[in-house]
């Protein structure tokens, strides 16, 4: 029996979406879905929900929860990763509250920036342990990573393990759909080309019947930005640099040095930037979980329609040989994006079929876009360097080169902030203390 293993299966809603999608695939009906999570209660809740779903969808898959990660992975053909190391408390709280003492504010803190840096440092050791298990008990498995920071984690796996892997994000497949809806434009029949790095990939081309739609997009966006709305940062980036970026404005506000600035506090209101957005979401989700649990876990009649997530379609393509194209995160080997470093993890169109996953060649990005990507890549590569070498100085280097952090703090304050964060994270970062 073939096996799909879900690591971090206590992420109940996400497990429902991805594995619920898989239950709709005829080619996966004889698979075992192996569930693993360090939170036994959440693991049990996910098992209950997925069992209800299996029954209601008349699926013939087998669902099994494991308390031993290596056994969950043993013999797996596919591994889906959705872990979060440190959780909201203590780690996310630490990532936001200590930088505030230095006057450094964030919105999401899960990609780069000081929050993304420390999330990477506490996640990479766990990911390398998982990879070691996969190399031992499931050496032919494909690892589908959904955990952030996407570029750093995928880059680490690709450079320092033998695990076949690809990073998957939600932003590419909803980029133009949401943009067109926001601008009240018809999305049907459009052609698009997207490439860059995770959360900072670019809508390089967008056409319909051979006609370039960018002039109309930019005209409407300029009008839209005369009033407050949720996507002002991305529209500002598009006006200044010429292209629309895949990930949301609350994310991109902290990836660049232009928007969250203590010397220009008016920008927060002018561009509708939601500071501390991720902690707010975490608190809201925690408060709503008991009600959601009743609606999901305790609902024996629960059902599911196949979502737009890539995971099930990639697995289906590899099982059936039917080609599926998607935006994936892979190492830039051979210069898939020619004016970004080979060591970088890039987000490019990829093809999945029975042969596995093959990224496609993009060529050069417009130089201003490549330059913006490189500012993020610098920090990503030095974060990996810190995690692999265990040298504290590379943590400092990564933070010093982060666009937002370096635009706000002095070198001495950056070092002091990193020291405080290392100390506060305690046993999550024992190698650096």
């Amino acid at each position: 029996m073939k096996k799909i293993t879900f690591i971090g299966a206590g992420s109940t809603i996400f497990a429902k979406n991805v594995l619920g999608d898989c239950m709709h695939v005829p080619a996966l009906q004889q698979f075992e879905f192996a569930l693993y999570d360090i939170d036994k209660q959440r693991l049990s809740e996910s098992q209950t929900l997925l069992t209800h779903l299996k029954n209601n969808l008349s699926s013939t898959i087998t669902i099994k929860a494991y308390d031993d990660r290596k056994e969950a992975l043993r013999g797996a053909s596919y591994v889906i990763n959705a872990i979060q190391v440190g959780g909201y408390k203590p780690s996310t709280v630490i990532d936001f509250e200590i930088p505030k003492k230095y006057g450094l504010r964030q919105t999401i803190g899960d990609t780069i920036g000081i929050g993304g840096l420390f999330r990477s440092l506490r996640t990479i050791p766990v990911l390398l342990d998982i990879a070691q298990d996969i190399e031992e008990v499931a050496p032919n498995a494909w690892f589908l990573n959904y955990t952030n920071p996407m570029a750093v984690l995928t880059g680490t796996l690709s450079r320092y393990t033998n695990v076949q892997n690809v990073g998957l994000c939600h932003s590419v497949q909803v980029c133009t759909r949401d943009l067109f809806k926001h601008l009240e434009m018809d999305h049907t029949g459009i052609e698009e080309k997207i490439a860059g790095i995770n959360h900072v990939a670019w809508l390089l081309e967008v056409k319909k019947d051979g006609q370039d739609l960018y002039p109309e997009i930019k005209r409407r966006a300029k009008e839209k930005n005369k009033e407050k709305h949720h996507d002002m940062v991305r529209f500002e980036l598009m006006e200044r640099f010429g292209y629309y970026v895949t990930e949301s404005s609350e994310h991109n506000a902290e990836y660049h040095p232009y928007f969250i600035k203590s010397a220009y506090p008016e920008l927060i209101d002018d561009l509708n930037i939601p500071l501390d957005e991720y902690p707010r979401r975490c608190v809201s989700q925690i408060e709503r979980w008991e009600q959601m649990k009743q609606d999901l876990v305790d609902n024996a009649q629960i059902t599911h329609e196949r979502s737009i997530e890539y995971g099930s379609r990639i697995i289906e393509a590899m099982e059936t040989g039917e080609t599926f194209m998607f935006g994936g995160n892979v190492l830039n080997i051979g210069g898939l994006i020619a004016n970004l470093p080979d060591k970088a993890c890039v987000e490019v169109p990829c093809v999945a079929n029975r042969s596995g996953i093959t990224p496609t060649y993009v060529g050069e990005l417009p130089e201003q876009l490549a330059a913006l990507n490189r500012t993020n890549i610098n920090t990503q590569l030095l974060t990996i360097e810190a995690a692999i070498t265990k040298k504290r100085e590379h943590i400092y280097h990564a933070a010093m080169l982060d666009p937002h952090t370096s635009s706000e703090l002095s070198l001495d304050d950056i070092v002091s902030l990193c020291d405080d964060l290392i100390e506060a994270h305690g046993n999550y970062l024992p190698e650096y203390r």
Side-chain angles (χ1 to χ4, degrees):
M1 180 183 290
K2 285 191 170 183
K3 180 192 282 189
I4 299 172
T5 300
F6 198 113
I7 304 293
S11 301
T12 304
I13 296 172
F14 190 62
K16 170 187 177 290
N17 289 341
V18 177
L19 294 180
D21 288 351
C22 290
M23 292 183 199
H24 282 282
V25 180
L28 307 184
Q29 287 309 301
Q30 302 306 317
F31 272 57
E32 175 189 333
F33 290 4
L35 313 179
Y36 176 79
D37 200 287
I38 61 172
D39 186 327
K40 304 308 178 190
Q41 180 180 340
R42 292 298 296 267
L43 177 63
S44 176
E45 291 167 351
S46 292
Q47 183 182 20
T48 298
L49 181 151
L50 290 166
T51 301
H52 289 326
L53 206 55
K54 170 199 165 179
N55 294 334
N56 295 330
L57 294 175
S58 300
S59 175
T60 57
I61 55 94
T62 300
I63 298 170
K64 184 176 179 181
Y66 289 79
D67 57 12
D68 184 308
R69 187 180 70 199
K70 188 176 288 188
E71 290 308 309
L73 290 165
R74 189 175 300 278
S77 298
Y78 306 96
V79 179
I80 297 166
N81 181 57
I83 64 171
Q84 182 181 353
V85 179
Y88 169 62
K89 287 184 178 179
S91 291
T92 295
V93 173
I94 291 169
D95 287 344
F96 275 78
E97 292 305 315
I98 290 180
K100 278 185 194 176
K101 296 177 182 178
Y102 289 80
L104 187 65
R105 303 298 301 274
Q106 300 169 91
T107 51
I108 305 294
D110 74 346
T111 301
I112 63 163
I114 205 71
L117 167 55
F118 278 84
R119 181 182 280 229
S120 297
L121 292 175
R122 61 181 183 265
T123 306
I124 287 172
V126 178
L127 201 64
L128 292 177
D129 282 347
I130 294 170
Q132 188 173 25
D133 285 349
I134 293 171
E135 289 171 346
E136 181 182 340
V137 301
N140 297 317
W142 269 94
F143 188 90
L144 310 184
N145 180 51
Y146 280 98
T147 294
N148 284 322
M150 180 64 65
V152 169
L153 299 184
T154 304
T156 301
L157 276 175
S158 299
R159 290 171 59 194
Y160 293 100
T161 79
N162 294 315
V163 174
Q164 304 174 105
N165 74 96
V166 66
L168 304 176
C169 182
H170 312 82
S171 59
V172 173
Q173 66 258 54
V174 301
C175 172
T176 53
R177 184 198 71 181
D178 291 353
L179 171 64
F180 277 53
K181 182 178 180 181
H182 190 201
L183 295 179
E184 299 177 355
M185 294 175 66
D186 181 13
H187 184 255
T188 56
I190 69 156
E191 306 161 30
E192 63 183 48
K193 180 181 179 182
I194 293 175
I197 62 173
N198 181 240
H199 286 184
V200 196
W202 306 98
L203 181 59
L204 299 172
E205 296 177 6
V206 55
K207 299 177 181 178
K208 186 170 185 177
D209 300 326
Q211 180 183 354
D212 181 11
L213 298 181
Y214 251 128
E216 180 63 12
I217 289 170
K218 291 177 180 178
R219 185 190 71 77
R220 294 192 185 207
K222 196 175 183 73
E223 281 298 307
K224 201 82 167 177
N225 255 15
K226 292 178 180 178
E227 298 179 356
K228 294 282 178 64
H229 61 92
H230 70 278
D231 210 16
M232 299 184 76
V233 168
R234 281 202 282 184
F235 286 2
E236 182 76 4
L237 283 168
M238 180 167 60
E239 181 175 352
R240 304 290 185 171
F241 290 93
Y243 295 83
Y244 189 65
V245 68
T246 50
E247 189 49 83
S248 64
S249 282
E250 62 263 28
H251 275 276
N252 269 275
E254 64 185 8
Y255 300 163
H256 310 284
Y258 314 116
F259 304 113
I260 305 174
K261 303 184 74 64
S262 55
Y264 300 90
E266 68 278 6
L267 289 175
I268 301 303
D269 183 61
D270 290 348
L271 294 173
N272 204 24
I273 296 170
L275 296 175
D276 299 326
E277 174 65 15
Y278 185 63
R280 270 196 303 276
R281 290 181 191 175
C282 291
V283 170
S284 175
Q285 288 171 356
I286 291 166
E287 290 174 347
R288 290 187 294 119
W289 173 244
E290 284 307 312
Q291 179 59 49
M292 292 171 69
K293 191 171 89 167
Q294 291 180 26
D295 297 339
L296 294 170
V297 179
D298 300 334
N299 179 8
Q301 306 305 314
I302 192 166
T303 189
H304 175 76
E305 294 184 6
R306 199 171 183 184
S307 76
I308 62 170
E309 294 290 352
Y310 287 144
S312 71
R313 289 172 169 81
I314 291 170
I315 296 172
E316 180 180 29
M318 286 197 268
E319 287 297 312
T320 65
E322 295 181 8
T323 296
F324 175 63
M325 180 165 274
F326 65 99
N329 290 271
V330 296
L331 208 59
N332 195 33
I333 295 173
L336 298 169
I337 298 181
N339 49 351
L340 295 182
D342 285 353
K343 288 182 179 179
C345 176
V346 293
E347 195 164 63
V348 297
C350 296
V351 176
N353 54 30
R354 204 181 294 281
S355 299
I357 294 171
T358 305
T360 64
Y361 177 76
V362 172
E364 290 196 350
L365 299 178
E367 198 55 51
Q368 73 276 18
L369 306 185
L372 284 171
N373 282 165
R374 286 191 292 262
T375 67
N376 282 222
I377 289 167
N378 293 335
T379 293
Q380 292 165 356
L381 295 183
L382 279 157
T383 301
I384 295 172
E385 197 74 10
I388 296 300
T389 65
K390 309 301 182 192
K391 290 184 178 178
R392 195 179 181 118
E393 67 198 69
H394 290 316
I395 300 177
Y396 302 150
H397 295 154
M400 289 170 181
L401 288 165
D402 173 66
H404 174 43
T405 305
S406 62
S407 73
E408 287 285 272
L409 302 184
S410 70
L411 292 173
D412 284 344
D413 276 353
I414 291 171
V415 170
S416 179
L417 170 57
C418 289
D419 288 343
D420 287 353
L421 285 164
I422 291 166
E423 187 64 28
H425 279 297
N427 290 333
Y428 284 107
L429 298 175
E431 301 92 340
Y432 306 100
R433 297 183 71 211

